[in-house]
């Protein structure tokens, strides 16, 4: 995207400083979308957003323009900027796009995945298995909100690792944006059952095994099954939330700052990885250091 500035408006905010402020504003608004603090149909106030992070309205407007281009917001002439309000069908279409991209990506990834990358996937499955074991040990029917962070991080890294290995940076960006959209419109999922967690864990483990066996057909089939089930869950949550909103206001879900930052780092690390190279894994420590530069979040 090409950014243009009115040099007669606020000269002191031109150049690199303004880019940094715009990025800060972008992250702030995108995080509010992801965590449900900005719900569908809400009108955005430039001044209020600027006040929240203590910047002028210039970087706020630039961030809103970028988010509009990415499909999160819509501008209504003469009225203002609003969070888009997707229909059930539009949300289903987004999920279908993600399924198509990831099923294609895993086929490409299997052809060139390394032992180190398989180990990354295995560690993600182990982290999810730990969550399942702890929920089961506590004897509850639903997971405790404290498990949102470790589960989401492991799930995000699993899917992003496969996208990274496939080598399609554009697909990685699109899936990242789709993840935020599904959070925005369907992430009132504080009722996940132990059975649902076990099923999701099993699907990830089966994808891992098919990847280890270099069985692209099976891996793609299981990925489609997994994301199809996720789509159905998102749509159920969406419909339930809409019915509940008719009688009561829905509370926003606040992700811990650590989770937000770690999701940023996961995707930053993968976007910083160019095409695979023989010495890529020897540069992991350097990539980890540079991963703190902001790119995009988010399953």
């Amino acid at each position: 995207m090409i950014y243009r500035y009115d040099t007669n408006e606020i000269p002191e905010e031109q150049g690199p400083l303004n880019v940094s402020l715009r990025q800060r504003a972008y992250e702030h608004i995108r995080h509010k979308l992801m965590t449900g603090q900005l719900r569908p149909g809400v009108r955005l106030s430039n001044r209020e957003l600027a006040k929240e992070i203590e910047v002028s309205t210039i970087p706020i407007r630039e961030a809103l323009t970028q988010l509009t281009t990415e499909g999160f917001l819509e501008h209504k002439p003469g009225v203002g900027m609003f969070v888009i309000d997707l229909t059930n069908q539009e949300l289903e279409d987004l999920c279908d796009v993600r399924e198509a991209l990831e099923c294609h990506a895993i086929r490409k990834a299997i052809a060139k995945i390394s032992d180190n990358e398989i180990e990354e996937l295995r560690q993600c499955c182990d982290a999810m298995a730990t969550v399942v074991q702890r929920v089961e040990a506590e004897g509850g029917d639903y997971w405790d909100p404290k498990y949102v962070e470790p589960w989401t991080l492991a799930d995000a890294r699993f899917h992003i690792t496969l996208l990274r290995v496939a080598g399609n940076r554009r697909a990685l960006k699109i899936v990242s944006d789709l993840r935020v959209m599904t959070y925005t419109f369907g992430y009132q999922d504080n009722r996940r059952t132990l059975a649902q967690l076990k099923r999701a864990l099993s699907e990830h483990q089966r994808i891992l095994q098919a990847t280890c066996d270099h069985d692209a057909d099976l891996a793609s089939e299981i990925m489609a099954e997994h994301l199809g089930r996720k789509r159905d869950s998102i749509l159920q949550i969406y419909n339930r939330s809409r019915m509940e909103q008719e009688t009561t206001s829905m509370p926003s879900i606040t992700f811990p700052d650590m989770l937000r930052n770690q999701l940023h780092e996961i995707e930053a690390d993968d976007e910083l990885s160019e095409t695979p190279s023989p010495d890529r894994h020897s540069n992991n420590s350097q990539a980890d250091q540079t991963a703190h530069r902001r790119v995009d979040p988010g399953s």
Side-chain angles (χ1 to χ4, degrees), residues 21-37:
L21 291 175
R22 185 184 67 244
Q23 192 65 30
R24 182 179 167 194
Y26 175 85
E27 290 179 10
H28 176 72
I29 300 167
R30 199 170 190 264
H31 176 62
K32 295 189 74 169
L33 288 166
M34 181 176 176
T35 56
Q37 297 175 60

Side-chain angles (χ1 to χ4, degrees), residues 98-286:
R98 178 181 174 184
E99 179 181 328
L101 287 172
E102 292 208 44
C103 288
H104 176 69
I106 198 170
R107 288 180 174 276
K108 295 184 65 177
I110 283 178
K112 52 186 175 182
I113 195 165
S114 69
D115 290 342
N116 285 347
E117 288 156 340
I118 287 177
E119 181 58 27
E120 288 182 46
L121 298 178
R122 182 172 286 110
Q123 290 174 5
C124 295
C125 287
D126 289 346
M128 286 185 276
T130 298
V131 170
V132 170
Q133 291 166 5
R134 290 178 179 174
V135 173
E136 190 167 24
E138 292 172 1
D141 293 329
Y142 299 93
W143 72 347
D144 188 284
K146 66 186 176 185
Y147 295 122
V148 169
E149 179 175 344
W151 181 276
T152 303
L153 285 172
D155 179 70
R157 184 174 287 281
F158 186 94
H159 288 272
I160 291 171
T161 295
L162 288 169
L163 287 163
R164 181 198 69 206
V165 176
N168 190 326
R169 291 164 60 88
R170 187 176 294 276
L172 175 58
K173 168 63 176 170
I174 292 172
V175 171
S176 174
D177 288 346
L178 291 174
R179 183 184 302 118
V180 176
M181 285 187 176
T182 55
Y183 277 136
T184 302
F185 296 98
Y187 200 76
Q188 297 292 344
D189 194 4
N190 56 354
R191 309 174 187 178
R192 298 193 75 171
T193 66
L194 178 60
Q196 289 173 325
L197 294 173
K198 285 183 174 181
R199 185 165 54 232
L201 170 62
S202 174
E203 289 165 353
H204 284 88
Q205 290 171 332
R206 290 165 59 208
I207 291 170
L208 171 61
Q209 187 58 55
T211 301
C212 291
D213 295 338
H214 296 280
D215 190 334
D217 289 339
L218 180 59
S220 180
E221 178 183 333
I222 301 170
M223 180 67 79
E225 174 188 338
H226 170 62
L227 293 178
R229 197 183 304 279
K230 179 65 175 177
R231 176 197 61 223
D232 294 342
S233 175
I234 288 170
L235 292 174
Q236 288 174 5
I237 297 163
Y238 171 90
N239 292 329
R240 187 179 67 219
S241 297
R242 289 307 172 100
M243 288 188 293
E244 292 178 359
Q245 283 175 346
E246 293 177 0
T247 58
T248 183
S249 60
M250 295 295 293
S252 63
I253 293 178
T254 303
F255 277 15
D257 286 340
M258 181 178 293
L259 173 56
R260 171 197 178 190
N261 295 335
Q262 286 180 300
L263 283 172
H264 281 172
E265 289 176 17
I266 289 173
E267 292 173 4
D269 178 46
D270 290 313
E271 286 204 12
L272 285 168
S273 300
E274 299 289 347
T275 54
S277 61
D279 61 346
R280 181 175 66 202
H281 297 291
S282 66
N283 295 327
N284 281 346
S285 60
Q286 181 179 357

